[in-house]
């Protein structure tokens, strides 16, 4: 049996957090602006998705796949990250949790541009 593991060297991360209810619209606007920046400027971001919890819409998960450690580093040092964090972090109920994962299998490989 063949397993879909992703490409070696890619970095897979998840970030999760919850924002204050009164800051939800502000944070959503910041998320949309930030993801638009990543989409337009970060070719090393092979996948960058933001999911909002259906039952508790103040909870979010970001799912990232970076081409390599350099793409992840460049992202983390960008002015866009600093701007996004300056809006998001003061409105979070707790620190954002970042977790790195290894892909062990999937139903299909996602399309790499």
């Amino acid at each position: 049996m063949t397993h879909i593991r992703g490409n070696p060297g890619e970095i897979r991360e998840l970030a999760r957090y919850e924002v204050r209810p009164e800051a939800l619209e502000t944070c959503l606007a910041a998320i949309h602006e930030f993801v638009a920046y990543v989409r337009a400027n970060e070719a090393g971001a092979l996948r960058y998705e933001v999911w909002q919890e259906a039952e508790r819409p103040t909870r979010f998960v970001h799912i990232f796949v970076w081409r390599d450690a350099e793409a992840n580093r460049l992202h983390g040092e960008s002015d866009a990250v600093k701007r996004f964090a300056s809006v998001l972090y003061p409105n979070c109920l707790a620190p954002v949790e970042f977790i790195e994962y290894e892909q062990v299998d999937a139903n299909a490989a996602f399309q790499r541009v």
Side-chain angles (χ1 to χ4, degrees):
M1 177 183 288
T2 302
H3 303 288
I4 297 175
R5 299 187 92 99
N7 291 340
E10 291 176 351
I11 297 173
R12 293 159 198 86
E13 288 183 300
L14 178 144
R16 59 184 174 192
Y17 57 90
E18 185 171 4
V19 299
R20 294 181 294 113
E22 63 273 16
L24 181 58
E25 293 306 315
T26 298
C27 291
L28 278 168
I31 288 166
H32 293 304
E33 179 181 327
F34 184 57
V35 174
Y37 170 85
V38 171
R39 187 182 308 114
N41 297 287
E42 295 190 12
L46 303 177
R47 181 175 184 179
Y48 196 109
E49 297 178 11
V50 181
W51 296 5
Q52 184 177 25
E53 191 173 313
E55 293 289 319
R56 293 186 62 183
T58 56
R59 290 183 176 181
F60 293 88
V61 172
H62 293 227
I63 299 169
F64 337 109
V65 177
W66 306 106
R67 179 180 49 232
D68 53 27
E70 179 66 5
N72 189 16
R73 184 190 68 75
L74 290 171
H75 171 79
E77 294 177 358
S78 73
D79 287 338
V81 166
K82 293 173 185 139
R83 280 191 307 275
F84 178 58
S86 76
V87 173
L88 182 70
Y89 289 5
N91 289 303
C92 285
L93 296 178
V96 176
E97 181 180 19
F98 290 89
I99 307 164
E100 190 169 329
Y101 289 89
E102 295 292 327
Q103 181 179 333
V104 295
D105 211 342
N107 69 335
F110 68 89
Q111 195 79 4
R112 286 162 173 83
V113 184

